[in-house]
Amino acid sequence: MVLKKIEQQLEKLVDGTFTRAFPSSIKPVELGKRIQREAEANTTIGVQGQILIPNKYTIYLSPEDLEQLQPTLKSTQRELESTIRHYAADDNCHFQGTLNVEIFPKSSIKTGALEIHSAFQENPKGIPPGSLVSENGERIIINEETLRFGRSNESTIQLVDAEVSRNHAEIRLLDASFFLIDLQSTNGTFVNGLKVNKHALLNFDQIKIGSTFYTFQTS
């Protein structure tokens, strides 16, 4: 089950980041187990029969523990999101909105303790979750606005590449799905190695525009 895998992956993560930040208080296995219990308690079935797990996770730590974690806070949140995202994909679980993990202090929590809360939270206007991940790990959240690729200064994502046309391709929200549309580019737009004109993007599709690669994720 995905939640067991989440726990195992988080143990590997927290053995690094969290053990360095919390040498004597937060135990690595504890965070994984708490997230597992929280997700298990809130797993549900969507209207189309898909398995849904929460997409919003809020972790509360004591102010002292959070202060120790502060130098690695952003990277820890990203790694936790990545872990949940990949293992949810492995077991075909879905999110209602963009996946988000946040960590806050709470004065009523003792050092070494933690609280985790989860929720299902749709994106504004019911827009499906979607993002592009670049080769260097940068994540670009996709919304209802058309995302255009090209060499033009007016492109949303400007690619300085001789293989890329001025207006090369775009990602557009159509009928509650994100579509990648080639704009009659000279060298073509590719998904998973195949040239496409119009393609409904699926989780972990590999997009190639010129010499640049992106991964589409439904989270």
Side-chain angles (χ1 to χ4, degrees):
M1 179 64 183
V2 61
L3 298 173
K4 181 60 177 176
K5 293 179 183 177
I6 289 173
E7 177 184 348
Q8 292 170 344
Q9 186 70 10
L10 285 174
E11 286 183 27
K12 294 179 183 178
L13 163 65
V14 294
D15 274 330
T17 303
F18 275 87
T19 299
R20 290 194 298 272
F22 302 109
S24 61
S25 52
I26 297 294
K27 302 301 180 183
V29 69
E30 184 176 2
L31 182 59
K33 286 182 176 179
R34 290 294 299 274
I35 287 181
Q36 177 181 347
R37 289 201 298 268
E38 190 67 30
E40 284 180 335
N42 292 282
T43 299
T44 188
I45 304 297
V47 294
Q48 297 180 348
Q50 73 273 38
I51 300 173
L52 297 174
I53 61 175
N55 61 292
K56 182 175 176 61
Y57 295 85
T58 306
I59 302 172
Y60 294 99
L61 304 174
S62 71
E64 295 80 9
D65 284 341
L66 184 60
E67 183 178 357
Q68 293 185 64
L69 179 62
Q70 202 65 46
T72 58
L73 181 61
K74 294 298 183 182
S75 62
T76 297
Q77 291 174 165
R78 287 196 300 269
E79 289 178 45
L80 289 170
E81 290 170 355
S82 179
T83 298
I84 296 171
R85 183 179 291 112
H86 279 83
Y87 283 101
D90 284 348
D91 277 51
N92 199 31
C93 293
H94 301 267
F95 303 101
Q96 283 189 325
T98 301
L99 179 62
N100 185 40
V101 175
E102 295 181 296
I103 304 175
F104 297 106
K106 193 171 184 179
S107 59
S108 61
I109 297 178
K110 297 180 179 179
T111 302
L114 60 93
E115 290 182 9
I116 301 178
H117 302 279
S118 65
F120 295 91
Q121 187 175 80
E122 289 189 346
N123 291 335
K125 302 179 183 178
I127 298 169
S131 61
L132 291 179
V133 182
S134 68
E135 295 174 271
N136 63 11
E138 179 187 4
R139 182 173 297 275
I140 303 167
I141 303 299
I142 307 173
N143 53 36
E144 76 273 22
E145 296 182 5
T146 298
L147 190 69
R148 179 163 292 191
F149 305 84
R151 288 188 291 106
S152 169
N153 292 333
E154 297 179 358
S155 299
T156 314
I157 299 178
Q158 186 179 25
L159 300 174
V160 182
D161 183 342
E163 297 181 14
V164 175
S165 300
R166 284 184 55 80
N167 295 302
H168 194 105
E170 64 186 20
I171 293 178
R172 185 181 300 174
L173 180 63
L174 299 170
D175 298 325
S177 295
F178 290 111
F179 282 80
L180 176 65
I181 302 171
D182 183 79
L183 300 175
Q184 298 182 335
S185 64
T186 301
N187 294 308
T189 300
F190 297 82
V191 176
N192 303 325
L194 300 176
K195 190 174 182 179
V196 299
N197 291 317
K198 183 178 181 181
H199 174 81
L201 289 166
L202 302 175
N203 204 18
F204 291 100
D205 272 349
Q206 299 293 313
I207 299 169
K208 179 178 181 291
I209 297 175
S211 58
T212 302
F213 288 84
Y214 292 96
T215 301
F216 175 79
Q217 294 182 351
T218 55
S219 60

